[in-house]
Amino acid sequence: MKRILIFIIIISAFMACEDVNEMHEKYLREGSPIYAGKIDSLSCFSGYYRVKASVFPSIDVNRKEFRIYWNNFNDSVVFSYDASYFNADNGRYEVIVEGFESQKIEGYTTLTFVNFDQQGNKSRKTESTVLIYGDDYATGILNQGSAGFDGQFLNFTHRNNAVGLLAEYTTNEGTQSTVKFNGEVEKLKIIGLDPDLPDFKSGTKVKFKTMYHLEQSDIDSIYAGNFSETDPIVLPDPIIVDSIVNKYGYAEDFNIPVKVYEGETFASVSDQSWCTITADNESGNIQVSIEENVSGSRTATITVNVVGKTGPDFTKEIKVIQSDATKLEDTKSGWTKVSLSDENWEVVSGWGTENLWNGSLAEPGYHTKAAVPTPLLISVNFGKSLLIDGLEIVPRQRYVKNPEVFEVWVSNTENEVGVDRYSDEWETKAVEAGWAKIKTVDWTGWKGTDTRIAYIGATEKYQYMRIRVLKNSDSGNNLNLLELSIIGKE
């Protein structure tokens, strides 16, 4: 019995070996799986609904093509290892993968790369995740900010990676115009020579989108998804001049500044022979010469126009009003200082108020001894009533400390105001005391040695005048002058 059992075991083992041999024979006949060489290295670069792939293939001499899959292998594209894709500088094959826009595929997307050889064998997979820009992504990008219109340029704030601007605007004909600009745009010229937005219509807005190149390796730039817009932009007058120029009875040569758009020229004409003019575009002035007037107030009209332009916007009138007032230098011998209690500071020795009408332009003049906080008051009694048409002030020619903002107060009685000059009630009390403010003069920025004339234009005669200085050009609050003169009539 034992021999029979051993025999059965031997026979079973032999039959099992035969089965194994048959299976092995089967696989030997079919052959083992053969793979194409796997892609050696891979880089992908972002674009707008597209991607750039840079492929370094394996050393497989039988390589034929590579296929790129996405969307769970539902979409793919095939590129052969063609010489037209080969970049000799880096030894890589570089291709552009498109087809994402139709399905609005954007954001981080995984691409799968598979090599194929001449026999159709495929390689193992290589994957790369890349950011694809699209419309939804663009809506989250902010435009540059508008920094306002400065009279000639529309200004924008800085944004990192900005590489362009798309601007839409309305022309004077009411049509819409679109202009694209390359590079970061800090300002757009709206008026003047060679404007960036030609024929811009005043009072309208500019819509704009900023273009960005977010990463240096990106293959595309991308506009912000939505337009921003400026406030309405109102253009300045195409020609700017003073509408009224007041002059006095003596003969005088002077300039009237004229401002026109950059690149434009102007012409001018006078309607009176006593007022002759020359348009000087190089200096931007009308050069005026007026004759002496002894026969009452008279007016000349100077018409100024932008050359080559028609219509009321490009033509302006200047009224030169010349009185027959003259410098009342002969009256200065009767001028005296008015000493009121709200003028309680010292002056430098020898530099008293009386020097302001001594007829001398040499030093000494008037000079406060120490820093005296404004307001400051300089008061004078003319000795008789005068019609004050203008006030001429001669500043000191060195260590200049001029009145920049001041008021002219007048009266026919020498009355105390009754409160300190710093009091909030000073003006009210001054009026109650019989003083009248007839002019406020703003010469802000007057720090030079030029003589200036303030047009006063009083309609009544006054004997007393007070100059109330509210601001002077010296930060230490010192004030110095050489001479005052009244232009008017006795």
Side-chain angles (χ1 to χ4, degrees):
M1 187 66 184
K2 182 183 292 186
R3 291 178 179 175
I4 294 173
L5 181 59
I6 294 171
F7 178 77
I8 292 172
I9 292 172
I10 292 172
I11 293 299
S12 298
F14 178 78
M15 292 178 63
C17 288
E18 288 294 323
D19 290 341
V20 170
N21 287 334
E22 284 185 15
M23 293 176 63
H24 191 60
E25 290 281 342
K26 175 183 177 182
Y27 282 106
L28 287 175
R29 289 193 303 269
E30 292 181 357
S32 61
I34 299 175
Y35 290 96
K38 185 181 178 182
I39 289 174
D40 185 88
S41 64
L42 169 68
S43 299
C44 288
F45 306 98
S46 299
Y48 188 71
Y49 285 122
R50 61 181 191 158
V51 171
K52 177 182 174 181
S54 179
V55 175
F56 190 82
S58 69
I59 60 174
D60 188 348
V61 295
N62 291 317
R63 63 176 180 262
K64 176 184 179 183
E65 63 193 23
F66 60 91
R67 300 178 188 180
I68 305 174
Y69 301 89
W70 66 92
N71 194 21
N72 293 322
F73 286 84
N74 290 317
D75 296 298
S76 64
V77 64
V78 179
F79 292 100
S80 64
Y81 283 107
D82 189 278
S84 62
Y85 298 132
F86 185 68
N87 184 341
D89 292 334
N90 58 22
R92 303 171 78 93
Y93 290 84
E94 297 180 343
V95 297
I96 302 298
V97 185
E98 298 179 317
F100 303 105
E101 185 169 9
S102 60
Q103 297 178 355
K104 297 299 180 184
I105 295 175
E106 59 178 288
Y108 284 99
T109 302
T110 298
L111 304 181
T112 302
F113 292 71
V114 179
N115 260 345
F116 286 82
D117 63 16
Q118 299 288 347
Q119 289 74 40
N121 299 312
K122 62 182 180 180
S123 70
R124 296 185 183 278
K125 298 183 295 184
T126 303
E127 292 184 341
S128 178
T129 299
V130 62
L131 175 61
I132 300 175
Y133 301 135
D135 293 339
D136 288 343
Y137 187 89
T139 58
I141 300 176
L142 298 177
N143 289 307
Q144 293 168 262
S146 170
F149 179 61
D150 63 12
Q152 186 173 23
F153 292 92
L154 173 59
N155 297 286
F156 296 92
T157 59
H158 169 74
R159 283 283 193 275
N160 291 332
N161 303 317
V163 295
L165 191 77
L166 177 69
E168 293 185 0
Y169 69 99
T170 304
T171 68
N172 282 319
E173 289 72 31
T175 60
Q176 296 299 305
S177 182
T178 301
V179 187
K180 293 182 179 180
F181 301 94
N182 295 322
E184 182 182 2
V185 175
E186 295 181 351
K187 59 178 61 181
L188 294 177
K189 191 176 188 180
I190 294 185
I191 61 174
L193 290 172
D194 301 321
D196 296 312
L197 305 181
D199 204 27
F200 177 84
K201 184 176 182 179
S202 181
T204 62
K205 301 178 180 180
V206 175
K207 296 173 62 178
F208 61 93
K209 284 184 180 181
T210 302
M211 176 185 282
Y212 294 93
H213 199 84
L214 299 176
E215 299 291 343
Q216 188 174 0
S217 61
D218 291 348
I219 62 171
D220 292 320
S221 300
I222 181 172
Y223 279 110
N226 299 304
F227 278 101
S228 296
E229 64 179 21
T230 67
D231 293 330
I233 298 172
V234 178
L235 303 184
D237 287 341
I239 181 169
I240 301 173
V241 293
D242 291 331
S243 58
I244 297 176
V245 177
N246 293 100
K247 289 297 175 180
Y248 309 104
Y250 46 84
E252 185 180 359
D253 295 331
F254 59 93
N255 291 327
I256 301 175
V258 180
K259 184 175 182 180
V260 294
Y261 286 170
E262 177 191 13
E264 306 282 8
T265 57
F266 64 90
S268 56
V269 61
S270 171
D271 67 347
Q272 299 294 325
S273 60
W274 58 266
C275 177
T276 57
I277 61 173
T278 301
D280 185 352
N281 277 273
E282 185 174 347
S283 66
N285 291 311
I286 299 173
Q287 298 173 347
V288 185
S289 179
I290 56 175
E291 299 174 357
E292 182 181 6
N293 178 30
V294 294
S295 58
S297 179
R298 60 185 180 181
T299 300
T301 300
I302 299 174
T303 302
V304 191
N305 68 282
V306 179
V307 175
K309 300 291 180 68
T310 59
D313 289 341
F314 302 98
T315 302
K316 296 290 177 69
E317 288 187 347
I318 306 169
K319 300 293 185 182
V320 178
I321 303 173
Q322 186 187 28
S323 71
D324 55 0
T326 58
K327 262 190 185 183
L328 302 178
E329 297 295 88
D330 292 343
T331 67
K332 287 186 175 181
S333 60
W335 292 17
T336 58
K337 174 184 176 181
V338 176
S339 297
L340 298 174
S341 60
D342 51 8
E343 297 182 50
N344 53 357
W345 58 86
E346 292 185 79
V347 296
V348 175
S349 177
W351 289 70
T353 309
E354 297 88 347
N355 292 332
L356 290 174
W357 50 84
N358 63 6
S360 172
L361 297 182
E363 295 187 359
Y366 172 83
H367 198 318
T368 56
K369 185 174 183 179
V372 182
T374 54
L376 287 161
L377 291 155
I378 299 174
S379 306
V380 56
N381 176 1
F382 299 134
K384 57 183 172 181
S385 295
L386 302 177
L387 184 67
I388 307 172
D389 205 24
L391 173 64
E392 182 184 82
I393 300 180
V394 181
R396 192 179 179 190
Q397 301 302 291
R398 58 176 182 164
Y399 312 120
V400 176
K401 299 169 185 178
N402 297 334
E404 292 188 285
V405 180
F406 60 91
E407 299 168 341
V408 178
W409 289 76
V410 290
S411 178
N412 280 311
T413 54
E414 187 179 342
N415 292 335
E416 290 278 3
V417 173
V419 295
D420 188 274
R421 70 180 189 278
Y422 301 121
S423 172
D424 293 337
E425 295 184 293
W426 191 94
E427 289 199 27
T428 301
K429 295 298 184 180
V431 172
E432 291 176 359
W435 294 92
K437 180 170 66 175
I438 58 173
K439 192 71 174 182
T440 299
V441 179
D442 189 341
W443 287 341
T444 298
W446 184 35
K447 303 180 188 301
T449 58
D450 55 307
T451 296
R452 293 202 174 185
I453 299 175
Y455 175 71
I456 306 301
T459 57
E460 298 181 27
K461 292 184 178 182
Y462 297 97
Q463 182 175 341
Y464 301 93
M465 179 182 72
R466 307 192 80 186
I467 299 174
R468 185 175 182 234
V469 180
L470 304 179
K471 177 185 177 185
N472 61 39
S473 63
D474 177 52
S475 59
N477 280 324
N478 281 317
L479 180 68
N480 56 42
L481 300 170
L482 288 182
E483 191 77 5
L484 299 177
S485 293
I486 296 297
I487 301 169
K489 294 181 180 181
E490 294 187 45

